[in-house]
Amino acid sequence: MKKKLLENIILPLGDQLTGGSFIKKLKYWREVCDLSQNELNNLQKEKLSKILEFASSNSPFYKALAIPHSSDPYEWLANFPILKKQQFRDHLSQFLTTNNFEGLTAITSSGSTGPPSKIYFNKEELSSNRALQILWWEWAGYRFGNSILQTGVNMQRSKEKAIKDKLLNTRYISAMSHSEAEILRELRLLQKSPRDHFVAYASSLYLFAKTSLDHGISNIQFKSIISLGEKLLPHFREAIERAFSCQVFDTYGASEGFLIAGQCSEGTYHIYSPHLIVEILDDQDQEVNPGESGRVVLTGLDNFTTPLIRYEVGDMAVKSKIQKCSCGMDLPILGEVIGRQTEFLITPKGKYITVQNVVRIMKHFPEIGQFKLVQEVADRIRLFYTTDEQIQEIDHSKILGMFEEIFEEPLGMEFNRVDSLPKAKTGKFQLIENNLGST
C-alpha cells in the first residue's frame, strides 16, 4: 500500500513541484531492463548518435575538434581523442553546452585520483541518474516503503533531501568518522529498530561487519546490503555477508555522473549500456580481449549539459568473458573492477580514516594535486602530495586542522611535498597505505 502511494501519488507530486522527472525516468529504465540484446544495441546506437551530434554542435571543446561526421556513430566515436581528467578540469567552461546556469545542479567528483572535477546537470538529467540508482537498489530487492540505513559524507541535509529521507524511510548517518564505540551504538540501535537495507561505502560496511563479528553480535539481519563508492574487496564481502546474513550487491559508478555497472541477483556486474558506453583499453588505446584488464574509458549518453566523450575515469577493469547472465537481463557484462583499492588508517583514539574521509577533506585544498597518506607507526601519518611548481608554500596547519576537526582528536601528521607519486600495481594511485606492523 505504501509503495503504491509513494510511486503513484507522492513522488509524482514531488516531481511536479520541483520540476523533476524521477518517477517517469524510473519507469523508463525499468522497461529498458526487459529489452532484448538487439533492442539494447539499437537504443545505445541511437543515443550515441544524438550525443555526438549535439556535443559537436553545442560544446565549444568538441566543436573545435571538428571530428568528421560518420553515419556509423561507433566509427565516429573512435575518432574522438581520449579525454584526460586534467584536461577536462582545466577547460570545464569549454565543455558546457549552455551559458545559462539557472536550474542546473553542480556535482563535484570525489577527487580520488587528483583534484575534483565539477559536472553540471539539468533537472531531467539529474532525475535520470537518481532513478538509475534506485533501479540498482531494486535489483537488490528494494521496494518503495522499505526502511534504509544509509551512510554519507554530508550530514547537512538540504530541505529537499530531508524530505526525501523521510519519504523513503531512510536513516542517514555519517561515514566520515567511525570509531568502534560509534559503530557499536548504531548496532545496538539496529537490534532495537531493524532496517530492511543497508546502503553504504564498502569501507563503512566492512567496519560495521568487523565490529559486529568481533563483539559476537549475531542478531542483526538485512534483506540486502548495497555497496557503493569504493572497491568491494573479497574479504570485505565475506565478512559483511557473514555478519548480517544477507547478500551484498555491489555497484560501480563515477561521481562525474556515470552509473557504470551494478550486480544482479546472480552477482553479475551488468553495464547499463543505454546510459553509457564502456571501453576497456590497453596502453595503445585499443580495446582489450575478453579476460584482459585495461583502462576504463566512458562516454555518457544522458548528460547533454556537460557531455563527456571517451573520458578516462582513472580505474582499471577486466573485460568479461561471459556474454549471458542467468538472471535474464541482456544488459552487457563487466568483469572485475580492479581500481579503488581500500585500506584504513587508525587514529590514536582508534577511529578509522577511510578513503572517503580523505578525499572529502582534501577537496577543500584544490592547490594540491595528487596525494597519498601512509601510516607506519600508530601515532604518525605521513601525507605525500604534489602541487604546481608556481605554488611556493602550502598551509599544512589548515589541512591538519580539518583532519583534527573531523576526528575530534590531535593527530600526528607529517607533510612531504614530492614531484610525483608512485602508482599501485592496480594502475591507480593508492590514496591510503597502512604499513602498521610491516616495519
Side-chain angles (χ1 to χ4, degrees):
M1 184 65 181
K2 189 172 183 179
K3 177 183 182 297
K4 291 182 179 180
L5 184 64
L6 280 167
E7 186 164 336
N8 297 324
I9 298 176
I10 296 176
L11 292 175
L13 179 60
D15 281 339
Q16 285 186 341
L17 294 174
T18 61
S21 54
F22 167 73
I23 285 296
K24 177 183 175 183
K25 291 293 184 181
L26 179 58
K27 291 179 178 179
Y28 169 75
W29 288 129
R30 287 171 178 165
E31 292 173 356
V32 167
C33 287
D34 294 328
L35 296 179
S36 67
Q37 185 174 10
N38 187 55
E39 290 171 324
L40 287 167
N41 292 340
N42 289 337
L43 178 58
Q44 185 189 67
K45 184 176 181 180
E46 177 187 340
K47 293 181 71 174
L48 176 60
S49 182
K50 287 181 179 178
I51 195 73
L52 295 182
E53 186 72 54
F54 187 85
S56 297
S57 301
N58 295 277
S59 165
F61 178 85
Y62 292 116
K63 193 173 183 179
L65 290 178
I67 305 295
H69 183 282
S70 172
S71 58
D72 183 341
Y74 296 102
E75 290 183 2
W76 193 4
L77 176 67
N79 290 324
F80 280 75
I82 304 298
L83 175 61
K84 303 292 186 179
K85 285 194 173 189
Q86 185 69 47
Q87 186 179 25
F88 171 66
R89 207 160 38 229
D90 292 345
H91 303 284
L92 170 61
S93 62
Q94 295 298 303
F95 286 87
L96 294 171
T97 59
T98 179
N99 294 320
N100 181 8
F101 289 85
E102 185 178 353
L104 299 184
T105 297
I107 304 293
T108 304
S109 70
S110 67
S112 61
T113 54
S117 304
K118 186 176 289 186
I119 318 292
Y120 287 89
F121 300 83
N122 64 29
K123 289 184 178 180
E124 184 173 358
E125 293 159 351
L126 197 61
S127 293
S128 181
N129 273 31
R130 288 173 173 170
L132 264 178
Q133 186 178 60
I134 293 297
L135 182 75
W136 276 352
W137 293 12
E138 290 183 341
W139 290 1
Y142 168 77
R143 297 295 180 265
F144 286 124
N146 288 6
S147 57
I148 302 167
L149 175 66
Q150 184 171 1
T151 67
V153 296
N154 184 9
M155 295 304 293
Q156 300 298 318
R157 306 295 280 169
S158 65
K159 184 177 180 180
E160 179 185 350
K161 288 183 177 180
I163 293 172
K164 182 215 74 169
D165 292 343
K166 186 71 173 177
L167 289 175
L168 298 185
N169 199 4
T170 300
R171 190 160 66 83
Y172 196 82
I173 61 175
S174 175
M176 288 300 288
S177 179
H178 287 322
S179 68
E180 186 173 74
E182 290 169 335
I183 293 173
L184 281 171
R185 282 197 296 270
E186 292 296 337
L187 291 172
R188 301 302 183 199
L189 185 55
L190 283 168
Q191 288 176 313
K192 297 176 182 177
S193 303
R195 293 265 142 177
D196 294 319
H197 307 278
F198 192 1
V199 181
Y201 298 117
S203 56
S204 293
L205 293 171
Y206 174 70
L207 291 175
F208 269 71
K210 182 178 182 298
T211 303
S212 180
L213 293 170
D214 288 348
H215 288 265
I217 300 172
S218 59
N219 60 343
I220 297 174
Q221 184 173 358
F222 299 95
K223 292 181 178 178
S224 69
I225 289 176
I226 300 163
S227 174
L228 47 81
E230 300 163 338
K231 179 175 172 61
L232 182 66
L233 300 173
H235 71 280
F236 282 18
R237 183 189 294 275
E238 188 277 332
I240 296 163
E241 293 186 342
R242 182 157 53 94
F244 301 122
S245 304
C246 69
Q247 185 174 354
V248 177
F249 291 78
D250 191 25
T251 64
Y252 172 42
S255 46
E256 289 87 352
F258 298 107
L259 290 96
I260 304 168
Q263 283 188 302
C264 68
S265 57
E266 299 300 315
T268 304
Y269 288 88
H270 287 277
I271 298 170
Y272 216 83
S273 57
H275 169 65
L276 81 174
I277 290 173
V278 178
E279 298 176 79
I280 302 178
L281 306 181
D282 61 21
D283 291 338
Q284 287 73 48
D285 295 342
Q286 300 299 308
E287 188 77 22
V288 301
N289 295 317
E292 294 179 346
S293 63
R295 298 142 47 222
V296 177
V297 174
L298 307 174
T299 297
L301 303 180
D302 292 317
N303 190 337
F304 287 74
T305 303
T306 319
L308 293 177
I309 299 170
R310 305 199 80 192
Y311 180 75
E312 188 168 346
V313 73
D315 288 330
M316 301 283 287
V318 177
K319 188 170 183 177
S320 177
K321 293 181 179 180
I322 304 171
Q323 300 298 317
K324 181 72 175 177
C325 178
S326 58
C327 74
M329 291 191 295
D330 280 331
L331 290 165
I333 295 169
L334 180 69
E336 180 188 0
V337 181
I338 303 175
R340 304 185 184 190
Q341 295 282 359
T342 302
E343 285 197 73
F344 311 102
L345 306 183
I346 303 173
T347 72
K349 291 186 177 180
K351 293 182 179 180
Y352 298 96
I353 300 177
T354 71
V355 168
Q356 288 297 326
N357 301 147
V358 174
V359 297
R360 293 293 170 175
I361 292 173
M362 297 306 294
K363 281 167 69 170
H364 293 276
F365 304 95
E367 64 272 23
I368 286 181
Q370 293 172 326
F371 50 86
K372 178 175 183 176
L373 274 75
V374 179
Q375 185 174 29
E376 295 175 339
V377 293
D379 59 352
R380 189 182 312 118
I381 296 168
R382 302 173 71 189
L383 173 61
F384 296 88
Y385 66 90
T386 65
T387 190
D388 291 340
E389 290 183 5
Q390 61 267 29
I391 296 177
Q392 297 298 315
E393 190 173 341
I394 297 291
D395 190 344
H396 298 153
S397 65
K398 288 185 177 179
I399 301 174
L400 175 60
M402 187 164 288
F403 271 93
E404 292 184 337
E405 180 182 355
I406 291 293
F407 291 97
E408 299 179 330
E409 63 177 285
L411 298 175
M413 292 188 73
E414 294 181 1
F415 297 87
N416 300 88
R417 182 170 175 170
V418 295
D419 293 330
S420 63
L421 296 176
K423 285 187 177 181
K425 63 182 180 180
T426 62
K428 287 197 67 174
F429 291 102
Q430 187 171 324
L431 297 189
I432 285 182
E433 186 176 318
N434 188 328
N435 295 324
L436 285 173
S438 64
T439 59

